[in-house]
């Protein structure tokens, strides 16, 4: 066992935490005091639970499609749910489930919302807002993002249960930080209580869902980390807390063999007759183009067809949540979603004819590796946690330790296959890590060969580089480039808010900051930086890159806000050569 990892985890052991079981019990009691809702879909179809419906579909080889929807306002969201139902009636595609993607502001208790940068999507304020989603149509509505594992977990979980969201999620998101909220201890306590609320509705089918790619596995270099993490989370949520636990995944696992081997491995390891552990597979998002976007139908259709055939063969209850061909550009509109959903539905028509043509051996073989190495990863993680003196029977203590672990360190700490320098040697490398690494190398080569840079252009430049949200690969990219050309870069990590960023710059004595943003909050973020700098009476050189868009007041779709950010005096640009020239100008 890696002694360094044990010592590192020992340094994270929390003090002054209440007993996790008492907290869980409190949550169960809170849950007992509320009545769980039931969707109009369940009432109409006669199924007691959505799980029962899902199992019935699986047994018949019928694949369930679900729409992931997060529009600009609640009114638009509710109207869209009605339209989805009508679309199903008109076409016969019979779509019955919508998973809602509200704004990240919902993850924050109300008193913190006013000061947070505004990301895309709508905000829910009251229980009525959750109930409104039913829209008088027989649909099953799920609330998962920003529920269960965020600082506002008690409110979002309670409202979701009352509104009949049998799946509450998403456990893996507990590692996300929200702007302005710093009380990790309270965050973890409220999360364990919220899991308790879901446990109280166990017999009514309620479960804790998780989404691998939003959590630690989304930061890893090895697909085996998906399995190792899933087993660890299952131990805490299912074995210790007693909740039903379901595992979803998919936007970053874009290579077909690991993409299908992962649920097969999980199904074989965790599903039982009584409890199915397989959730949904999200459309892969990283092979998409942001130009000639119709070309994205190619990989999207291929992927959906394979998933349909896979589910017809294994009957494990894997649902499909497709992503639109506009994924690389912005959040999808209802039309974008119905469009890709229709493609998926038409693929189902001819699927039976493909069944006999399929050879699942490569998937089975990859699943074997995932099971074998995933179990070793999990056992290694458990052994390290135990050796570090963590109370392995206390869900709160375990979550608290993991919360303190920087996401980029999870894999490096618990992986069982490393070289002498401690670098993880992946069994099945992830795509995004690999792609970003080669993008960085290719860009560096271009800057030398085509732009004539010499390598010393940024000598003497000191800057803080950070991500304003959970997206890390853009940050990895700029860190790599700026360091290559001589800048001294301190990484501010992820989820950093404007005041913390400027505090860090002040502490380090740096006056240049480069921020990567993706959630549509770039304009707000820049405004806050300018205001804070003014208040502090200081001059900073500020640069922003990433997804430079926002939903402007009164609009339903995002607009490019690069110009508006530049007007504020914050340099907004993704062209890395222009950024290097700008950084050079700061030296003068
Ligand atoms: C990977 C990913 C994730 C992963 C992130 C994992 C990780 N460890 O980073 C996960 C699954 C966790 C995730 C979560 C979310 N995501 Co996301 N994600 C993506 C995805 C697929 C790829 C982004 C990426 O890493 N690309 C690779 C890097 C190398 O490229 P890049 O980021 O584009 O960076 C380039 C430039 O922008 C530039 N750059 C980037 N930063 C900077 C900074 C500076 C200073 C400079 C100069 C340049 C620069 O350099 C790079 C090379 O050119 C995109 C869709 C897509 N295909 O692009 C959505 C996307 C960015 N995500 C999106 C959203 C909405 C979210 C969520 C809010 C969704 C949700 N509700 O759950 C959450 C975020 C929650 C949070 N707490 O922040 C939206 C943003 C929508 C918008 N603004 O219009 C996108 C576009 C998807 C979509 N269509 O809805 N996501």
């Amino acid at each position: 066992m890696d002694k360094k990892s044990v010592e590192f985890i020992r340094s994270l052991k929390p003090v002054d935490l209440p007993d996790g079981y008492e907290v869980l019990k409190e949550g169960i009691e809170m849950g007992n005091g509320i009545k769980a809702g039931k969707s109009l879909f369940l009432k109409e179809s006669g199924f007691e639970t959505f799980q029962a419906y899902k199992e019935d579909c699986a047994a018949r080889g019928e694949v369930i499609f679900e729409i992931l929807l997060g529009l600009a306002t609640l009114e638009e969201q509710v109207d869209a749910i009605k339209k989805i139902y009508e679309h199903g009636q008109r076409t016969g595609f019979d779509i019955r489930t919508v998973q809602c993607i509200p704004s990240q502001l919902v993850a924050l208790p109300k008193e913190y919302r006013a000061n947070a940068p505004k990301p895309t999507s709508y905000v829910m304020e009251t229980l009525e807002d959750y109930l409104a989603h039913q829209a008088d149509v027989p649909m099953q509505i799920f609330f998962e993002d920003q529920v269960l594992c965020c600082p506002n977990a008690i409110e979002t979980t309670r409202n979701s249960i009352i509104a009949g969201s049998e799946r509450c999620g998403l456990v893996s998101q507990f590692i996300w930080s929200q702007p302005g909220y710093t009380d990790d201890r309270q965050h973890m306590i409220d999360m364990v209580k919220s899991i308790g609320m879901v446990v109280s509705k166990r017999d009514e089918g309620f479960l804790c869902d998780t989404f691998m790619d939003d959590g630690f596995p989304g930061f890893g270099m090895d697909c085996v980390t998906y399995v190792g993490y899933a087993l660890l989370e299952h131990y805490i949520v299912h074995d210790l807390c007693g909740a039903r636990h379901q595992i979803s995944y998919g936007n970053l696992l874009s290579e077909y063999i690991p993409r299908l081997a992962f649920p097969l491995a999980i199904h074989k390891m965790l599903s039982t007759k009584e409890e199915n552990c397989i959730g949904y597979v999200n459309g892969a998002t990283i092979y998409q183009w942001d130009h000639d976007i119709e070309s994205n139908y190619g990989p999207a259709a291929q992927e959906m067809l394979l998933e349909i055939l896979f589910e017809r063969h294994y009957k494990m209850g894997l649902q499909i949540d497709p992503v639109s061909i506009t994924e690389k550009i912005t959040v999808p509109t209802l039309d974008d979603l119905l469009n890709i959903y229709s493609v998926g539905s038409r693929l189902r028509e001819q699927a039976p004819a493909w069944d006999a043509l399929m050879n699942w051996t490569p998937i089975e073989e990859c699943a074997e590796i995932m099971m074998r190495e995933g179990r070793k990863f999990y056992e290694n993680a458990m052994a390290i946690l135990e050796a570090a003196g963590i109370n392995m029977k206390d869900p709160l203590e375990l979550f608290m330790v993991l919360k303190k672990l920087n996401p980029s360190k999870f894999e490096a700490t618990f992986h069982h296959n490393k070289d002498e320098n401690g670098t993880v040697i992946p069994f099945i490398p992830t795509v995004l890590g690999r792609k970003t690494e080669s993008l960085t190398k290719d860009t560096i080569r271009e800057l030398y060969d085509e732009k004539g840079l010499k390598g010393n252009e940024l000598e003497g430049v000191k800057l803080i580089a950070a991500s304003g949200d959970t997206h890390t690969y853009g940050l990895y990219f700029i860190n790599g480039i700026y360091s290559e050309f001589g800048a001294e870069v301190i990484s501010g990590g992820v989820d950093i808010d404007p005041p913390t960023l400027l505090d860090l710059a002040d502490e380090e004595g740096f006056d240049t900051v480069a921020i990567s943003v993706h959630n549509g909050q770039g304009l707000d973020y820049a405004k806050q930086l300018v205001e804070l700098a003014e208040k502090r009476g200081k001059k900073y050189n500020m640069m922003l890159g990433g997804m430079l868009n926002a939903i402007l007041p009164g609009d339903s779709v995002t607009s490019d806000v690069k110009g508006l950010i530049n007007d504020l005096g914050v340099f907004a640009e993704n062209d890395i050569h222009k950024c290097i020239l700008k950084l050079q100008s700061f030296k003068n």
Side-chain angles (χ1 to χ4, degrees), residues 236-305:
I236 307 175
V237 174
H238 176 268
D239 299 359
L240 294 184
C241 295
R244 288 176 189 270
H245 186 222
Q246 183 178 285
I247 292 159
S248 302
Y249 76 103
N251 48 354
L252 308 183
L253 270 193
S254 59
E255 283 171 338
Y256 297 135
I257 293 182
R259 182 169 177 81
L260 298 184
F262 172 69
L264 185 57
I266 291 296
H267 189 60
K268 287 187 176 179
M269 291 171 102
L270 297 180
S271 284
T272 61
K273 241 178 155 234
E274 295 69 41
E275 284 183 48
N276 176 289
C277 286
I278 298 299
Y280 61 91
V281 55
N282 201 97
T285 54
I286 53 183
Y287 52 62
Q288 290 222 346
W289 287 5
D290 56 6
H291 57 95
D292 304 286
I293 56 171
E294 288 75 15
S295 69
N296 293 329
Y297 284 124
Q302 236 180 120
E303 162 188 300
M304 286 190 285
L305 179 59

Side-chain angles (χ1 to χ4, degrees), residues 104 145 176 214 218 285 327 330 469-472 516 518-519 549:
Q104 244 182 285
D145 265 0
W176 291 0
D214 277 348
T285 54
E327 169 72 17
T330 184
D469 45 61
T470 208
H471 297 87
T472 51
S516 178
H518 284 81
N519 293 355
N549 67 359

Side-chain angles (χ1 to χ4, degrees), residues 100-104 119-121 145-146 170 173 175-179 211-220 226 251-252 284-290 323-324 326-332 407 432 435-437 439-440 443 463 465-478 481-482 494-495 513-522 543-551 558-559 571-576 578-580 583:
C100 299
I101 315 277
S103 160
Q104 244 182 285
T120 54
S121 205
D145 265 0
Q146 332 301 3
L170 286 166
Q173 292 180 353
I175 65 170
W176 291 0
S177 299
Q178 307 297 338
F211 189 76
M212 294 292 99
D213 314 63
D214 277 348
F216 288 125
F219 295 80
Y226 275 66
N251 48 354
L252 308 183
T285 54
I286 53 183
Y287 52 62
Q288 290 222 346
W289 287 5
D290 56 6
V323 293
S324 77
T326 54
E327 169 72 17
K328 182 86 190 271
I329 306 169
T330 184
V331 279
L432 203 50
K435 270 178 89 170
T436 309
E437 222 165 272
L439 176 71
T440 310
T443 309
L463 71 124
S467 171
D469 45 61
T470 208
H471 297 87
T472 51
Y473 294 99
L475 180 61
Y476 177 96
F477 172 80
I478 58 167
I481 305 273
Y482 294 158
V494 293
D495 285 329
V513 292
I515 310 106
S516 178
V517 284
H518 284 81
N519 293 355
Q521 84 280 37
M543 310 179 88
L544 225 74
M547 294 286 295
L548 300 173
N549 67 359
I551 296 187
T558 52
S559 313
F571 186 70
E573 182 57 64
N574 276 324
D575 180 322
I576 203 71
K578 288 187 185 154
C579 292
I580 290 177
L583 281 170

